[in-house]
Amino acid sequence: MNRDTLTGLVLMVIAFLVFSWWTQPSAEDIENQRKQDSIAAVARDAAEKQQLKQAEKAAAEAEAAAKGDTTALFHAALNGKATPVVLKNEKVELTLSTKGGTIEKAVVKGFLNADNSQNDVTLFDGETQNMNFMLAGKQDNIITRDLYFTPTDVSDSTVTMTAQAANGGCIVMAYRLGKDYMLHFSLQAKGLGGMFAPNYNEMDIEWSDMARQQEKGFTFENRYSTLTYKEKNGGTDYLSETSEKIDEKIDEQLNWVAFKNQFFSAALIAKDDFAANSLMTSIPQEKGTGFLKKFNAKLKTAFDPTGAKPSEFEMYLGPNDFRLIKEVEEQSTFGKDLDLEQLVYLGWPLFRIINRWFTIYVFDWLTSWGFSMGVVLILITLLLKAITFPMVKKSYMSSAKMRVLKPKLDEATKQFDKPEDQMQKQQAMMQLYSQYGVSPLSGCLPMLIQMPIWIAMFNFVPNAIQLRRQSFLWIDDLSTYDPIVEWGTNIWGIGDHLSLTCILFCVSNILYSYMTMRQQKDQMVGAQAEQMKMMQWMMYLMPLMFFFMFNDYSSGLNFYYFISLFFSAAIMWTLRKTTNDAKLLAILEARYKENKANPKKQSGLAARLQAMQKQAEELQRQRNQGMKK
């Protein structure tokens, strides 16, 4: 390489270096460029995320349309944020969610909760309860639980939930809370007539809930917690409270369906009724879970696809108080007899009549005087004893007559001791009873008189919400058991506690049984006395059986039975002490002489039994003669 070439190369390198130095950006230019590069990178990332989100949304809409879960017409309502809307008054507080547009939580105010920590009871919340309305379109389904609704006209008592469709139509759910426990609401499809088949006129409703344990006694509360429904042209009925029922078909149209606890209910009422063939499910839950039963109802009711007429509903969300429910039912705008008070079970027809027209009135009257619930139960017992006392006394006197006649019966029938002579013995006894004017069956009347009242109270007391959380003497809560001993494990037949009122009831039952058997034994003759010895063991076993049955029952019911038996025993003891046997026998002897002098004057049950026995003997004699021929 010559000198000129080398010089040229050096000059070119120097020129390149000078040019590079001259054209390099300043520190300010470098910083500006770095910022521009960062902004561009962020913009690229945002664009990529937006494209990904749109792709995911499109895929979700395509999948939903393919499954028929929610029509693509409501694609804008498929996304949103679930926010609560609260309706409240002095009695209840209801929380609705914009996701689904239905109630997700119901709280009844003024009643202590399960652990007595708050003065309100949560019937259900969004984790355990769901109500879903489903509309079947020509191609796709509209399912309200998948839609986000926009709330308008919001106040403490009203809200309108609207899910907007792409074609300008919408699903509207309007709510109005009454002054206490009645909620009125409707569902209406506006501008969506073309979505449905011309003959489409029913919507599907699915309502489910896990019934919460609200009381201390799981077993007892579970027994009175049921899925209850009212037939349109009949009475109320319910699914089994003990066995599992899944998709039980109800053939009749229904006015309402209720998820009922012992003391609180949520009832769904349809203005146009629920169609026949509803499916009901009730699944008992295990003790310790905090839940009693899993309820589910699959229903159908009228729907107007043109939007001209809304589908109207009402819900009762409150306590099972007979008087209160009748008052709240008057707020219904549907103009029909709903019989919601049937949520308070008062027993079979006879016992319901006793409770409906006597017990409730007396209970309300005594309560209005300000007495505690325990005193009210005692006063009701005394009142019932006073009402039945004339019949009980008459029955006792009949038994006393048989008692004082026992020596004469023994003497008159002593020749009929052989087994083949029992018919003649019975005939002789009936003849003697007739002559003395005594009825051998009237001694059973005290139990027969008291039995309907006992059974009526058996149905009334466990369902009387007025006893809930009411204390008396050692009893903390008259609506549940009163344990004197508790243990952690469950023992078959007993449970995990011993109830003091149940023990008192069983002891008083033994005392009353002893007095009753002693009275009957004093009037038994011959073989009857031997049979009585066998019966007395059964009478003593009954209180033991009652212990296993009633140990879980409410202390109020056991206390009532204890007081009732105590007063019954006291009345029987008093009558026994005040009855003059010698004077009574003298009266019977005078009647005997009168009837013997005038046999046609004999009357009464004993005379009729004697006549029937003679007829039976004559018929048997004729049969025997026929067989000999």
Side-chain angles (χ1 to χ4, degrees), residues 255-536:
N255 288 148
W256 51 261
V257 176
F259 296 164
K260 173 184 174 296
N261 280 44
Q262 183 181 1
F263 293 123
F264 302 94
S265 291
L268 178 63
I269 310 159
K271 181 177 182 178
D272 296 312
D273 304 316
F274 297 112
N277 300 322
S278 299
L279 300 178
M280 307 292 184
T281 295
S282 176
I283 303 175
Q285 302 299 294
E286 294 294 330
K287 185 176 181 179
T289 62
F291 298 99
L292 303 168
K293 289 183 175 71
K294 180 180 180 180
F295 293 138
N296 183 270
K298 297 176 182 178
L299 313 163
K300 291 180 181 290
T301 192
F303 171 71
D304 182 4
T306 68
K309 177 185 176 183
S311 298
E312 296 184 58
F313 304 90
E314 292 175 336
M315 287 193 76
Y316 174 78
L317 300 150
N320 298 332
D321 184 320
F322 188 90
R323 297 283 190 207
L324 174 65
I325 292 178
K326 284 189 69 68
E327 293 176 2
V328 173
E329 186 177 326
E330 294 178 0
Q331 302 173 25
S332 174
T333 60
F334 296 165
K336 50 187 175 182
D337 188 8
L338 297 173
D339 280 339
L340 280 172
E341 67 272 12
Q342 297 282 351
L343 289 170
V344 183
Y345 183 70
L346 298 178
W348 291 353
L350 172 61
F351 313 121
R352 183 175 183 83
I353 290 172
I354 295 173
N355 286 325
R356 172 68 180 85
W357 300 108
F358 175 79
T359 310
I360 290 179
Y361 280 97
V362 174
F363 191 86
D364 290 345
W365 176 64
L366 293 174
T367 303
S368 68
W369 286 85
F371 296 119
S372 69
M373 291 299 106
V375 173
V376 168
L377 290 174
I378 294 175
L379 294 176
I380 287 179
T381 306
L382 290 174
L383 180 60
L384 291 172
K385 294 301 177 186
I387 292 173
T388 59
F389 178 75
M391 293 177 285
V392 171
K393 183 179 180 180
K394 184 178 180 180
S395 175
Y396 174 82
M397 294 307 296
S398 178
S399 298
K401 292 173 184 177
M402 295 175 65
R403 183 180 71 246
V404 298
L405 287 177
K406 183 175 182 296
K408 294 184 176 295
L409 288 172
D410 289 337
E411 180 67 23
T413 60
K414 64 181 181 180
Q415 69 270 30
F416 303 117
D417 288 337
K418 297 179 181 180
E420 60 269 20
D421 296 334
Q422 290 305 305
M423 183 172 290
Q424 291 90 333
K425 183 175 184 177
Q426 290 294 327
Q427 184 178 358
M429 290 172 58
M430 290 298 104
Q431 183 177 1
L432 199 60
Y433 283 141
S434 178
Q435 291 172 342
Y436 278 98
V438 175
S439 173
L441 297 182
S442 58
C444 302
L445 285 180
M447 184 58 68
L448 296 178
I449 292 168
Q450 296 181 70
M451 190 60 68
I453 297 173
W454 270 51
I455 298 176
M457 293 299 288
F458 176 83
N459 290 296
F460 173 78
V461 174
N463 291 291
I465 194 172
Q466 292 84 354
L467 298 180
R468 186 177 186 267
R469 300 297 193 273
Q470 296 297 309
S471 61
F472 182 68
L473 299 178
W474 70 89
I475 306 170
D476 293 330
D477 186 351
L478 285 165
S479 70
T480 187
Y481 60 83
D482 57 321
I484 53 172
V485 179
E486 291 185 278
W487 51 86
T489 58
N490 187 65
I491 298 177
W492 183 86
I494 299 178
D496 56 5
H497 65 274
L498 290 178
S499 174
L500 179 55
T501 52
C502 179
I503 294 173
L504 292 174
F505 161 45
C506 293
V507 171
S508 62
N509 200 354
I510 292 174
L511 172 63
Y512 183 73
S513 298
Y514 170 77
M515 296 180 67
T516 302
M517 287 187 294
R518 182 178 177 182
Q519 176 179 314
Q520 292 176 350
K521 184 178 180 181
D522 290 342
Q523 64 192 42
M524 295 295 178
V525 179
Q528 293 179 338
E530 295 299 323
Q531 294 173 359
M532 190 63 192
K533 292 179 181 179
M534 298 177 61
M535 263 184 76
Q536 67 182 0

Side-chain angles (χ1 to χ4, degrees), residues 49-93:
K49 290 180 180 179
Q50 182 65 23
Q51 291 176 356
L52 180 60
K53 184 177 180 179
Q54 291 177 350
E56 290 176 348
K57 181 179 178 181
E61 292 178 358
E63 182 180 1
K67 291 181 178 180
D69 290 337
T70 303
T71 177
L73 188 64
F74 283 89
H75 63 85
L78 291 173
N79 298 283
K81 182 180 180 181
T83 56
V85 178
V86 178
L87 303 180
K88 60 183 179 180
N89 55 30
E90 295 181 354
K91 304 296 185 181
V92 295
E93 181 175 305

